Amino acid sequence: RALCVSGRFGPATRMLTMGCDLARDAGEYVELSHSEGLLAVALGFTGAFDEGTARAESSLRLARRLGDPIRVIGCHVYNSALAESRFDWEGGIRETTELLSFAEENSIAGLYLYVGTSMAGRHQFHVGHLDRARVLLCNAIAMSKALNIVMLLSWTHAFLGDVYETFLEQEYDR
């Protein structure tokens, strides 16, 4: 899992595949759902989109069967990252919209809401909604500070830098 979160997607696919097999064999279905979701992300960022999509779908089906809202919101995060890996901005927007709605409906805060908010900002940037992107990314940074979570913070700052650079380019072009 740490390999995937740190961006070492190739090595992560091997470790997460073994982890999925172990979790399945042990009947640890919460762990299986989580590991399959992260495996989907790793596969997506290595270009194995079809296999990544299959793992993401399996993770979500399992999370729903378990009735575990934290696993379900986690699946929305994995799917938004998978959309990013495929350059599927509209799919990322759909996924993060579902994530934010699901978080509100189920009173979920914390890590997955923070990561989902950052990904929502990223996807909004890609489709040219710069004001939305800025608000979402600034909110994600504030959540990071409030929750004392630094994972993804450097990416979120980089995403926000892209937004400000685009604002400046547009001003310069005028």
Side-chain angles (χ1 to χ4, degrees), residues 22-30:
L22 289 171
R24 187 178 297 103
D25 292 346
E28 294 289 338
Y29 299 112
V30 171

Side-chain angles (χ1 to χ4, degrees), residues 139-156:
N139 283 340
I141 291 168
M143 275 189 256
S144 169
K145 290 177 186 171
L147 297 168
N148 198 29
I149 299 173
V150 296
M151 180 182 73
L152 194 70
L153 183 58
S154 60
W155 283 29
T156 305

Side-chain angles (χ1 to χ4, degrees), residues 120-136:
R122 181 64 172 172
H123 296 305
Q124 291 293 329
F125 163 76
H126 283 305
V127 297
H129 298 151
L130 300 180
D131 285 326
R132 289 182 197 167
R134 182 186 51 76
V135 167
L136 288 161

Side-chain angles (χ1 to χ4, degrees), residues 82-138:
L82 190 56
E84 176 79 11
S85 76
R86 289 189 312 255
F87 306 101
D88 176 11
W89 317 136
E90 294 298 331
I93 288 171
R94 277 190 306 278
E95 209 53 62
T96 54
T97 299
E98 285 185 48
L99 180 153
L100 296 172
S101 177
F102 187 83
E104 182 180 18
E105 291 166 7
N106 291 277
S107 301
I108 296 173
L111 174 66
Y112 289 124
L113 179 59
Y114 155 61
V115 175
T117 302
S118 180
M119 295 305 293
R122 181 64 172 172
H123 296 305
Q124 291 293 329
F125 163 76
H126 283 305
V127 297
H129 298 151
L130 300 180
D131 285 326
R132 289 182 197 167
R134 182 186 51 76
V135 167
L136 288 161
L137 292 166
C138 287

